Amino acid sequence: MITMILKPLLFPSNSRYISKTPISLLANLFFSTNPTSLNDDVEVVYRIITSSSSVQNLKQSLTSTGIFLSNDLIDKVLKRVRFSHGNPLQALEFFYYTDNRKGFYHTPYSLDTILYILGRSRKFDHIWGVLIKMKRKDRFLISPRTMQIVLARVAKLCSVRQTVESFRKFKKFVSVLDTTCFNALLRTLCQEKSMTDARNVYHRLKKEFKPNLQTFNILLSGWKQSEEAELFFEEMRELGIKPDVVSYNSLIDVYCKDREMEKAYKVVEKMREEDISPDVITYTSIIGGLGLVGQPDKARDILNEMKEYGCYPDVAAYNAVIRNYCIAKRLGDASNLMDEMASKGLSPNATTYNLFFRVFYWSNDLRNSWSLYRRMMESGCLPNTQSCMFLIRLFRKHEKVEMALTLWNDMVEKGFGSYILVSDVLFDLLCDMGKLVEAEKCFLQMIEKGHKPSNVSFRRIKVLMELVNKHDALLNLQKKMAIFGSSIQLP
């Protein structure tokens, strides 16, 4: 770690990402080493954004706190809004409020985050408004990454034609609509639409741009049929573009997914002939392919073979072998590999555990699921959303309230998993079991964390509260939900 010693007299006067504020505030910004204090400020600002009834109210509340709105704090607040699915228009008001300060410039992260928040909620007119404002103030903030974020939101919710039209609009916001921008469009289509859509747009627009190595690496990745990948590989060679390890890995991957292992091996030989060393991604694809053709033991041998070529397996490579054994229902071999990982200094990750959780879930094995969860937590590996869903659904099936509440409390304390997805199943369980006190507590915890419970969950709790005449508690829940702009009304 490099430690930088900052001296007040050395602050650059034209810093683009710091507003012109008194030196005491700058000193506080740069020299504060208390992450807890920053996190507390983020929480306060986030609460103001979500609860403000007007722009004026937002401004007054932010001013009254005395909190210095640094770039770091703004980045974290917008990230908080993004992951809590907060109100996009309130977040936009906050973005504009901070942007209007004299001498202040948003970071690229803040810009990209607010565009993501708006795009997710179909606020496309506001997206173009933000881009127009940012271009006037600092056009360098608008990058190919910014373009890809916007196009990804458009592609997810609109047609391919509308996505290409949005791509054309970026002519107004970038200095030149070049191959890098074209690649951003193709990557978006591959991820949000289909490889076929990306292929069609490529052929339609390729004469306007000069395809490069990255273009073809994007177009080679993700195919399920090898014929399409082979055509792009051939076109790349015709244009005089030399494949690299990424190109070859994409071709090998599609061969493995298509169970054409002999072709995959030939590509590996071709790589070596061209002095391109297969890397861990190459071998991981081979391992996955061997699993698909029912050869988990041969895939296991690849872990040793790759070491002979100076390439050492990583967690993803081990996960691929473990997946093969889990599919073959050879959990003993899979478990041994998990232990071997640890002995090699590789810590199993959430994906590793999920391979086992999946098997236990489908075999209705509550005991081993719970045991594995405890082991996971003790190891310091936090579950992801998929882990939580396997567990909470199993607890729901077996009506294990205590286990479900333990998972929920761990989520609240450690900050992992999706509150929204897990809570729906949890509230189903608690309401079915008549655990109204626990349901109310979890509901309030969720709101306190800035996450809106679903209307379905609210209605389930509402019915129970009305049955036991807890009208005051019900009114309190409705008031809490109001910060999310909920339209729920009590009769």
Side-chain angles (χ1 to χ4, degrees), residues 262-280:
E262 289 304 317
K263 287 185 177 181
Y265 289 135
K266 287 180 181 178
V267 175
V268 173
E269 291 173 8
K270 181 69 173 173
M271 291 174 68
R272 290 182 176 132
E273 289 171 6
E274 296 182 5
D275 289 328
I276 298 176
S277 298
D279 60 12
V280 67

Side-chain angles (χ1 to χ4, degrees), residues 457-466 474 489-491:
S457 295
F458 178 86
R459 283 193 289 268
R460 289 220 62 183
I461 293 176
K462 173 177 175 287
V463 168
L464 287 183
M465 285 187 166
E466 287 174 339
L474 183 54
Q489 297 294 326
L490 294 179

Side-chain angles (χ1 to χ4, degrees), residues 7-12 18-31 68:
K7 298 180 180 179
L9 294 177
L10 297 181
F11 288 147
I18 309 228
S19 58
K20 294 178 181 178
T21 53
I23 192 67
S24 60
L25 288 176
L26 285 174
N28 180 61
L29 167 62
F30 281 108
F31 295 108
F68 178 63

Side-chain angles (χ1 to χ4, degrees), residues 224 226 249-261 263-265 282-293:
K224 294 181 180 178
S226 58
N249 281 348
S250 295
L251 190 59
I252 289 169
D253 187 59
V254 71
Y255 282 143
C256 290
K257 287 176 179 175
D258 214 17
R259 294 174 169 82
E260 298 181 275
M261 297 308 298
K263 287 185 177 181
Y265 289 135
T282 316
Y283 290 109
T284 302
S285 293
I286 297 289
I287 289 169
L290 290 170
L292 290 175
V293 297

Side-chain angles (χ1 to χ4, degrees), residues 366 370 391-400 404:
L366 177 66
W370 181 250
L391 288 163
I392 194 66
R393 285 172 177 158
L394 200 57
F395 300 153
R396 169 80 178 84
K397 190 184 299 185
H398 287 264
E399 299 183 342
K400 294 295 183 181

Side-chain angles (χ1 to χ4, degrees), residues 53-159:
S53 56
S54 66
V55 177
Q56 191 60 33
N57 178 246
L58 173 72
K59 293 178 181 179
Q60 290 175 348
S61 298
L62 288 173
T63 302
S64 67
T65 64
I67 295 174
F68 178 63
L69 300 176
S70 67
N71 285 108
D72 190 25
L73 184 141
I74 293 168
D75 285 352
K76 285 180 167 59
V77 169
L78 290 175
K79 180 180 179 181
R80 180 87 160 78
V81 174
R82 173 186 171 178
F83 286 101
S84 64
H85 291 252
N87 187 304
L89 296 183
Q90 289 173 314
L92 181 60
E93 292 296 348
F94 171 71
F95 181 85
Y96 280 149
Y97 169 73
T98 53
D99 184 67
N100 288 335
R101 292 179 295 167
K102 184 177 179 181
F104 179 84
Y105 292 87
H106 277 295
T107 65
Y109 181 86
S110 283
L111 173 61
D112 292 349
T113 304
I114 192 64
L115 293 175
Y116 180 93
I117 292 168
L118 293 170
R120 181 172 59 196
S121 303
R122 298 174 180 258
K123 307 294 184 185
F124 296 117
D125 288 344
H126 289 289
I127 283 179
W128 300 118
V130 170
L131 289 171
I132 290 169
K133 185 176 176 64
M134 290 301 104
K135 180 193 173 184
R136 290 174 183 157
K137 188 170 185 179
D138 183 6
R139 70 181 304 164
F140 295 105
L141 276 180
I142 303 173
S143 66
R145 173 174 169 75
T146 306
M147 176 187 292
Q148 189 169 333
I149 286 171
V150 173
L151 293 179
R153 295 298 92 200
V154 175
K156 197 170 190 71
L157 300 168
C158 306
S159 67

Side-chain angles (χ1 to χ4, degrees), residues 210-256:
K210 186 178 180 180
N212 57 18
L213 178 61
Q214 186 186 24
T215 309
F216 285 101
N217 283 344
I218 292 168
L219 293 168
L220 282 167
S221 62
W223 286 105
K224 294 181 180 178
Q225 291 80 35
S226 58
E227 292 82 3
E228 294 284 359
E230 288 170 342
L231 288 173
F232 277 118
F233 211 84
E234 185 60 32
E235 182 172 349
M236 178 168 56
R237 288 190 177 281
E238 289 174 358
L239 292 175
I241 299 173
K242 186 178 179 181
D244 63 0
V245 65
V246 176
S247 317
Y248 279 120
N249 281 348
S250 295
L251 190 59
I252 289 169
D253 187 59
V254 71
Y255 282 143
C256 290

Side-chain angles (χ1 to χ4, degrees), residues 3 5-7 18 40 42 101 122 124 128 160 183 228 265 304 316 329 355 386 416 434 438 440 448-449 472 474 479:
T3 303
I5 302 176
L6 298 175
K7 298 180 180 179
I18 309 228
D40 290 344
V42 168
R101 292 179 295 167
R122 298 174 180 258
F124 296 117
W128 300 118
V160 174
N183 290 343
E228 294 284 359
Y265 289 135
N304 295 323
K329 297 183 179 178
L355 295 169
Q386 188 180 49
F416 61 81
E438 291 82 354
E440 181 183 1
E448 183 64 27
K449 287 289 183 178
D472 289 342
L474 183 54
K479 288 179 179 177

